[in-house]
mmCIF file of all heavy atoms in Angstrom:
data_model
loop_
_atom_site.group_PDB
_atom_site.id
_atom_site.type_symbol
_atom_site.label_atom_id
_atom_site.label_comp_id
_atom_site.label_asym_id
_atom_site.label_seq_id
_atom_site.Cartn_x
_atom_site.Cartn_y
_atom_site.Cartn_z
ATOM 1 N N GLN A 151 -6.136 11.434 -4.981
ATOM 2 C CA GLN A 151 -5.483 11.795 -3.673
ATOM 3 C C GLN A 151 -5.964 13.149 -3.251
ATOM 4 O O GLN A 151 -6.263 14.007 -4.040
ATOM 5 C CB GLN A 151 -3.953 11.998 -3.934
ATOM 6 C CG GLN A 151 -3.234 10.791 -4.503
ATOM 7 C CD GLN A 151 -2.653 9.958 -3.386
ATOM 8 O OE1 GLN A 151 -3.103 9.961 -2.271
ATOM 9 N NE2 GLN A 151 -1.589 9.264 -3.782
ATOM 10 N N ALA A 152 -6.118 13.343 -1.899
ATOM 11 C CA ALA A 152 -6.340 14.652 -1.311
ATOM 12 C C ALA A 152 -5.982 14.525 0.154
ATOM 13 O O ALA A 152 -6.030 13.433 0.738
ATOM 14 C CB ALA A 152 -7.814 15.041 -1.475
ATOM 15 N N SER A 153 -5.629 15.622 0.801
ATOM 16 C CA SER A 153 -5.177 15.500 2.212
ATOM 17 C C SER A 153 -6.336 15.198 3.142
ATOM 18 O O SER A 153 -7.485 15.516 2.805
ATOM 19 C CB SER A 153 -4.559 16.879 2.616
ATOM 20 O OG SER A 153 -5.517 17.864 2.680
ATOM 21 N N PRO A 154 -6.094 14.606 4.317
ATOM 22 C CA PRO A 154 -7.183 14.258 5.232
ATOM 23 C C PRO A 154 -8.001 15.467 5.622
ATOM 24 O O PRO A 154 -9.216 15.373 5.767
ATOM 25 C CB PRO A 154 -6.465 13.700 6.475
ATOM 26 C CG PRO A 154 -5.095 13.264 5.970
ATOM 27 C CD PRO A 154 -4.767 14.098 4.805
ATOM 28 N N GLU A 155 -7.308 16.613 5.797
ATOM 29 C CA GLU A 155 -8.057 17.824 6.277
ATOM 30 C C GLU A 155 -9.037 18.299 5.190
ATOM 31 O O GLU A 155 -10.170 18.663 5.487
ATOM 32 C CB GLU A 155 -7.087 18.938 6.606
ATOM 33 C CG GLU A 155 -6.334 18.725 7.949
ATOM 34 C CD GLU A 155 -5.257 17.592 7.816
ATOM 35 O OE1 GLU A 155 -4.800 17.324 6.678
ATOM 36 O OE2 GLU A 155 -4.880 17.070 8.893
ATOM 37 N N VAL A 156 -8.573 18.331 3.969
ATOM 38 C CA VAL A 156 -9.425 18.752 2.853
ATOM 39 C C VAL A 156 -10.620 17.792 2.718
ATOM 40 O O VAL A 156 -11.790 18.155 2.585
ATOM 41 C CB VAL A 156 -8.663 18.824 1.529
ATOM 42 C CG1 VAL A 156 -9.597 18.950 0.316
ATOM 43 C CG2 VAL A 156 -7.714 19.999 1.563
ATOM 44 N N ARG A 157 -10.333 16.500 2.878
ATOM 45 C CA ARG A 157 -11.367 15.478 2.781
ATOM 46 C C ARG A 157 -12.396 15.592 3.879
ATOM 47 O O ARG A 157 -13.604 15.461 3.691
ATOM 48 C CB ARG A 157 -10.748 14.108 2.720
ATOM 49 C CG ARG A 157 -9.952 13.877 1.432
ATOM 50 C CD ARG A 157 -9.446 12.489 1.312
ATOM 51 N NE ARG A 157 -8.237 12.213 2.027
ATOM 52 C CZ ARG A 157 -8.053 11.182 2.876
ATOM 53 N NH1 ARG A 157 -9.013 10.381 3.146
ATOM 54 N NH2 ARG A 157 -6.876 11.005 3.435
ATOM 55 N N ALA A 158 -11.895 15.885 5.150
ATOM 56 C CA ALA A 158 -12.754 15.965 6.300
ATOM 57 C C ALA A 158 -13.680 17.180 6.147
ATOM 58 O O ALA A 158 -14.882 17.121 6.454
ATOM 59 C CB ALA A 158 -12.015 16.041 7.557
ATOM 60 N N ARG A 159 -13.111 18.300 5.622
ATOM 61 C CA ARG A 159 -13.929 19.513 5.437
ATOM 62 C C ARG A 159 -15.066 19.242 4.437
ATOM 63 O O ARG A 159 -16.216 19.608 4.599
ATOM 64 C CB ARG A 159 -12.993 20.605 4.934
ATOM 65 C CG ARG A 159 -13.608 21.919 4.532
ATOM 66 C CD ARG A 159 -14.525 22.550 5.612
ATOM 67 N NE ARG A 159 -13.791 22.799 6.855
ATOM 68 C CZ ARG A 159 -14.329 23.203 7.996
ATOM 69 N NH1 ARG A 159 -15.677 23.369 8.097
ATOM 70 N NH2 ARG A 159 -13.660 23.432 9.084
ATOM 71 N N ARG A 160 -14.730 18.544 3.328
ATOM 72 C CA ARG A 160 -15.740 18.197 2.305
ATOM 73 C C ARG A 160 -16.857 17.364 2.887
ATOM 74 O O ARG A 160 -18.027 17.573 2.683
ATOM 75 C CB ARG A 160 -15.110 17.396 1.191
ATOM 76 C CG ARG A 160 -14.332 18.222 0.245
ATOM 77 C CD ARG A 160 -13.973 17.392 -0.959
ATOM 78 N NE ARG A 160 -12.962 18.051 -1.728
ATOM 79 C CZ ARG A 160 -11.876 17.464 -2.209
ATOM 80 N NH1 ARG A 160 -11.691 16.183 -2.055
ATOM 81 N NH2 ARG A 160 -11.005 18.149 -2.857
ATOM 82 N N ARG A 161 -16.431 16.318 3.648
ATOM 83 C CA ARG A 161 -17.443 15.388 4.221
ATOM 84 C C ARG A 161 -18.336 16.105 5.216
ATOM 85 O O ARG A 161 -19.555 15.878 5.260
ATOM 86 C CB ARG A 161 -16.741 14.147 4.854
ATOM 87 C CG ARG A 161 -17.646 13.144 5.527
ATOM 88 C CD ARG A 161 -18.783 12.692 4.675
ATOM 89 N NE ARG A 161 -18.419 12.169 3.360
ATOM 90 C CZ ARG A 161 -18.260 10.921 3.038
ATOM 91 N NH1 ARG A 161 -18.503 10.002 3.933
ATOM 92 N NH2 ARG A 161 -17.941 10.562 1.812
ATOM 93 N N TYR A 162 -17.692 16.941 6.036
ATOM 94 C CA TYR A 162 -18.442 17.741 7.049
ATOM 95 C C TYR A 162 -19.468 18.621 6.345
ATOM 96 O O TYR A 162 -20.627 18.633 6.712
ATOM 97 C CB TYR A 162 -17.435 18.582 7.859
ATOM 98 C CG TYR A 162 -18.051 19.516 8.799
ATOM 99 C CD1 TYR A 162 -18.571 19.086 10.007
ATOM 100 C CD2 TYR A 162 -18.230 20.914 8.498
ATOM 101 C CE1 TYR A 162 -19.187 19.989 10.933
ATOM 102 C CE2 TYR A 162 -18.831 21.764 9.333
ATOM 103 C CZ TYR A 162 -19.276 21.305 10.558
ATOM 104 O OH TYR A 162 -19.940 22.226 11.376
ATOM 105 N N ASP A 163 -19.023 19.368 5.336
ATOM 106 C CA ASP A 163 -19.965 20.302 4.597
ATOM 107 C C ASP A 163 -21.147 19.497 4.011
ATOM 108 O O ASP A 163 -22.300 19.911 4.004
ATOM 109 C CB ASP A 163 -19.213 21.007 3.475
ATOM 110 C CG ASP A 163 -18.215 22.064 4.054
ATOM 111 O OD1 ASP A 163 -18.336 22.358 5.244
ATOM 112 O OD2 ASP A 163 -17.348 22.494 3.283
ATOM 113 N N GLU A 164 -20.794 18.288 3.463
ATOM 114 C CA GLU A 164 -21.796 17.421 2.845
ATOM 115 C C GLU A 164 -22.842 16.987 3.900
ATOM 116 O O GLU A 164 -24.055 17.037 3.632
ATOM 117 C CB GLU A 164 -21.033 16.227 2.297
ATOM 118 C CG GLU A 164 -21.682 15.453 1.256
ATOM 119 C CD GLU A 164 -20.752 14.321 0.832
ATOM 120 O OE1 GLU A 164 -19.758 14.561 0.094
ATOM 121 O OE2 GLU A 164 -20.912 13.195 1.323
ATOM 122 N N LEU A 165 -22.397 16.603 5.047
ATOM 123 C CA LEU A 165 -23.292 16.160 6.133
ATOM 124 C C LEU A 165 -24.195 17.320 6.567
ATOM 125 O O LEU A 165 -25.370 17.149 6.737
ATOM 126 C CB LEU A 165 -22.497 15.616 7.337
ATOM 127 C CG LEU A 165 -21.852 14.193 7.120
ATOM 128 C CD1 LEU A 165 -20.830 13.931 8.171
ATOM 129 C CD2 LEU A 165 -22.921 13.079 7.109
ATOM 130 N N ILE A 166 -23.572 18.455 6.775
ATOM 131 C CA ILE A 166 -24.348 19.651 7.196
ATOM 132 C C ILE A 166 -25.409 19.997 6.152
ATOM 133 O O ILE A 166 -26.582 20.255 6.505
ATOM 134 C CB ILE A 166 -23.408 20.865 7.465
ATOM 135 C CG1 ILE A 166 -22.427 20.590 8.608
ATOM 136 C CG2 ILE A 166 -24.200 22.175 7.711
ATOM 137 C CD1 ILE A 166 -23.095 20.374 10.014
ATOM 138 N N GLU A 167 -24.959 19.930 4.913
ATOM 139 C CA GLU A 167 -25.893 20.258 3.807
ATOM 140 C C GLU A 167 -27.103 19.324 3.774
ATOM 141 O O GLU A 167 -28.212 19.682 3.501
ATOM 142 C CB GLU A 167 -25.098 20.218 2.508
ATOM 143 C CG GLU A 167 -25.838 20.864 1.345
ATOM 144 C CD GLU A 167 -24.969 20.735 0.091
ATOM 145 O OE1 GLU A 167 -23.832 21.226 0.146
ATOM 146 O OE2 GLU A 167 -25.471 20.152 -0.877
ATOM 147 N N LYS A 168 -26.799 18.014 4.170
ATOM 148 C CA LYS A 168 -27.918 17.040 4.204
ATOM 149 C C LYS A 168 -28.765 17.178 5.515
ATOM 150 O O LYS A 168 -29.609 16.322 5.722
ATOM 151 C CB LYS A 168 -27.321 15.644 4.055
ATOM 152 C CG LYS A 168 -26.945 15.269 2.678
ATOM 153 C CD LYS A 168 -26.462 13.837 2.634
ATOM 154 C CE LYS A 168 -25.970 13.513 1.179
ATOM 155 N NZ LYS A 168 -25.054 12.370 1.201
ATOM 156 N N GLY A 169 -28.391 18.102 6.416
ATOM 157 C CA GLY A 169 -29.162 18.308 7.611
ATOM 158 C C GLY A 169 -28.729 17.332 8.748
ATOM 159 O O GLY A 169 -29.522 17.106 9.680
#
Side-chain angles (χ1 to χ4, degrees):
Q151 304 265 28
S153 69
E155 288 72 20
V156 166
R157 292 188 275 129
R159 174 56 58 188
R160 282 191 194 135
R161 178 50 54 99
Y162 173 81
D163 290 345
E164 204 177 280
L165 286 165
I166 296 295
E167 197 178 301
K168 283 185 183 156

